Amino acid sequence: MRIILTRLERFDIRRLLSGIIVTVGLVVLLVLCFGIPCRNAFCLSPVKVSGIVANSSEVVKTEMNHINLSSEDDEYEEETRNNDSSKENVVAISNVKVELNVSVIPSPNVSLGKPEMAVESSVSVRSNDSRESNALSILRRQKQVAATVSISQMNSLLIQSLSSSSHSPKPRWSSARDSEMLSAKSEIENASVVHESLGLDASIYRNISKFLRSYYLMERKLRVYVYKEGNKPIFHRPMPRGIYASEGWFMKLMESNKKFLVRDPRKAHLFYIPVSIKALRTSLGRDFQTPKSLADHLKEYVDMIAAKYKFWNRTGGADHFLVACHDWGNKLTKKHMSNSVRALCNSNVAQGFRIGVDTALPVTYIRSAESPIEYRGGKPPSERKILAFFAGSMHGYLRPILVQLWENKELDMKIFGPMPRDPQGKKQYREYMKSSRYCICARGYEVHTPRVVEAIINECVPVIIADNYVPPFFEVLNWEEFAVFVEEKDIQNLRNILLSIPEERYIGMQARVKTVQQHFLWHKKPVKFDLFHMILHSVWHSRINRLKTRLTRH
């Protein structure tokens, strides 16, 4: 009897195991054929990965199909992912080097009946001996994609834009506000020469005389109308914390301002569209996840205010402006708001940012809305023993190369990957900045990074490694007097470049960083020359310089 029961138990176990194996096999087959249905727009789509793994004498080539579990709207606390059509990354893992080439291709998702994005990757793993040469070869291939605009070329583009009003459409009819701004333009161009001003260093400005005259005229004359239309949270709801705090703080301070705001739009020189691109990107649901659908939603708002008011149509939107810090701010506005002044964090001149028309917005990573200017200051130059410091997530193609080339290479180069995010790790990060001569501001997925402002707050000279990046308030500030610009192709010479800067030059730059700091601070109640006023001045500056001197009256 025991023998019979034992055989039956074994028989049942075998049947159970066989059934499980068959079921799993069928599930896998269905997934491979039809994909996985999902409840939101971030569907799981097939990822094809092909790779070559090299290890001493043998080479093994593999090809696998995986399920993409990443959502395109994954938001990092530090920076967000950019959805470019192609990326190249280099990742270092212990003693091996992984070279990852990623391209995004359209792939139909049968479950949803609409196109999703699949990622095709090729992976090669090699020994540690060739890490640096492979990293640089990846960088060279990346640089072949588009031409680089140097900081000196940007200076030339700015001069050209200031000497021409070709970007500004001709108003359909003139107004008293135009005449007032033209009068201000004339006063600025003929400003009395100023060599110094209390609390300001003339060397950090392109022309301190014109800047001061323009700023004082803005304070005295500028009036702004804020559209009341638009529903929260996309409109009229500022977000004063996190990586996109710049657009939130400006919205908060602009809508509560009593000095510049007017209730009668006929008295306004500028019209503010109080939109949060961050909220637009995240609040509309799965039917609004592509740049085109979001841009079309924004266009509906523009069409609405154009139909309700006459002001947009008078200038084609040239006297309107918005402030956007989200990565997608540029791509969502460059078509339907092409005539408007756009204050953008993503100020990439190779992707549609227009020097002399748009204005570059600083990225301010605010952790506490109650204390937006905490942890200011740093050690004096004589106590800054670290030559250069960087720490951060391996976003984009450049940072992994930076870490591969410089991590643990020189005692005075403190170059790391991500640091712990606990209170001790954050404190250590700040201490490194306050103890370093130069703080490396390497681009991530996009050209902009909060490290530029963080360096200034900690009185560390910023070293900007982000080709085609237009720094904040570029039309006013002479950035080369208090920051170092290193082209991405020269990253392997980073230490030599920094060591070649004379001591006297460094001390002067560090002093100017302390002076320019006032332009990058948020205050609950705006103060003279602070970040709120500098953003508003940049918009005012752009509008004035694009005005034509001859207006047609009707």
Side-chain angles (χ1 to χ4, degrees), residues 183-200:
S183 174
K185 182 176 183 178
S186 177
E187 286 191 54
I188 294 168
E189 290 175 347
N190 297 286
S192 301
V193 177
V194 175
H195 296 291
E196 59 182 19
S197 179
L198 184 64
L200 303 179

Side-chain angles (χ1 to χ4, degrees), residues 26 34 140 160 210 224 235 275 295 305-306 329 349 369 372 393 401 413 415 422-423 454 461 470 485 500 531:
L26 287 173
F34 301 107
R140 283 192 291 268
Q160 292 174 20
K210 290 185 177 182
V224 179
F235 298 90
V275 61
I305 61 173
V349 74
S393 299
I401 296 174
M413 297 280 285
I415 308 298
D422 57 15
E454 286 177 346
V461 175
V470 181
F485 290 83
S500 69
L531 190 43

Side-chain angles (χ1 to χ4, degrees), residues 93 114 143 160 188 190 196 317 347 365 384 408 488 492 548:
I93 304 176
K114 71 175 185 177
K143 292 294 98 185
Q160 292 174 20
I188 294 168
N190 297 286
E196 59 182 19
S347 52
Y365 188 4
R384 291 178 179 259
N408 298 323
E488 293 172 15
Q492 72 271 28
K548 296 182 183 296

Side-chain angles (χ1 to χ4, degrees), residues 146-151 153-154 157-158 330 342 344-356 358 446-447 466-471 474:
T148 298
V149 181
S150 67
I151 189 69
Q153 290 172 320
M154 292 180 191
L157 290 173
L158 178 63
N330 181 21
R342 304 177 305 160
L344 302 172
C345 285
N346 191 5
S347 52
N348 189 334
V349 74
Q351 294 183 0
F353 182 88
R354 305 159 300 175
I355 294 177
D358 301 320
E446 293 288 3
V447 294
D467 291 353
N468 301 317
Y469 173 60
V470 181
F474 184 67

Side-chain angles (χ1 to χ4, degrees), residues 123-164:
V123 183
S124 59
V125 183
R126 299 181 179 88
S127 66
N128 192 36
D129 296 338
S130 58
R131 287 174 62 187
E132 293 187 12
S133 60
N134 288 328
L136 294 175
S137 67
I138 291 292
L139 183 56
R140 283 192 291 268
R141 289 204 300 271
Q142 182 70 29
K143 292 294 98 185
Q144 290 174 359
V145 175
T148 298
V149 181
S150 67
I151 189 69
S152 60
Q153 290 172 320
M154 292 180 191
N155 289 329
S156 299
L157 290 173
L158 178 63
I159 293 171
Q160 292 174 20
S161 71
L162 294 177
S163 62
S164 171

Side-chain angles (χ1 to χ4, degrees), residues 414-445:
K414 303 299 182 183
I415 308 298
F416 311 110
M419 295 183 71
R421 296 195 175 221
D422 57 15
Q424 182 61 32
K426 293 177 180 179
K427 181 180 179 181
Q428 186 179 26
Y429 180 89
R430 293 192 299 270
E431 287 303 313
Y432 271 123
M433 276 202 157
K434 295 179 185 297
S435 304
S436 300
R437 289 189 159 215
Y438 300 97
C439 289
I440 309 302
C441 308
R443 64 166 293 162
Y445 292 116

Side-chain angles (χ1 to χ4, degrees), residues 83 398 545:
N83 294 283
L398 185 67
N545 281 284

Side-chain angles (χ1 to χ4, degrees), residues 108-125:
N109 187 297
V110 179
S111 303
L112 292 184
K114 71 175 185 177
E116 289 298 324
M117 303 307 290
V119 181
E120 183 173 317
S121 306
S122 62
V123 183
S124 59
V125 183

